[in-house]
């Protein structure tokens, strides 16, 4: 099953949904560039990149993907699934 970060205008995620892995890599790159502009400290740049990779980790949950698919299809009755805490929990205690 493909995993998506965000939906687009189409009700079909395969048409214009943003793939989750690509989204995480793009955010990590942006965070690293912004950190590098603020400080040459490699630890800060690495931490910013890691935060970008982890910020939507919870969107890999099947329940969140089901929510995104339902919401994209116009079913607004399904409530959002928490996803932000998963990346923070992994950062605090990696496997």
């Amino acid at each position: 099953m493909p995993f998506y970060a965000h939906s687009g205008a189409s009700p079909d995620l395969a048409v214009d949904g943003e793939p989750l892995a690509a989204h995480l890599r793009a955010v990590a790159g942006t965070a690293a560039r912004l950190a590098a502009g603020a400080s040459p400290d490699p630890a800060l740049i690495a931490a910013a990149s890691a935060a970008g990779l982890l910020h939507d980790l919870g969107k890999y949950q099947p329940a969140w993907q089901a929510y995104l698919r339902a919401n994209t299809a116009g079913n607004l009755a399904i409530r959002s699934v928490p996803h932000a805490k998963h990346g923070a929990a992994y950062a605090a205690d990696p496997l």
Side-chain angles (χ1 to χ4, degrees), residues 11-22:
D12 184 357
L13 288 171
V15 171
D16 64 357
E18 182 179 17
L20 183 51

Side-chain angles (χ1 to χ4, degrees), residues 58 61 63-65 67 78-84 86:
Q61 297 176 85
W64 200 92
Q65 293 295 308
Y67 158 74
I78 295 179
R79 296 181 56 173
S80 181
V81 175
H83 67 276
H86 300 283

Side-chain angles (χ1 to χ4, degrees), residues 12-77:
D12 184 357
L13 288 171
V15 171
D16 64 357
E18 182 179 17
L20 183 51
H23 169 72
L24 296 176
R25 286 191 300 270
V27 173
T30 298
R33 282 190 300 282
L34 290 171
S39 169
D41 181 1
L44 175 66
I45 296 167
S49 179
L53 285 173
L54 296 175
H55 85 282
D56 273 345
L57 190 65
K59 289 185 178 181
Y60 277 108
Q61 297 176 85
W64 200 92
Q65 293 295 308
Y67 158 74
L68 182 62
R69 284 179 170 77
N71 194 22
T72 301
N75 183 355
L76 302 179

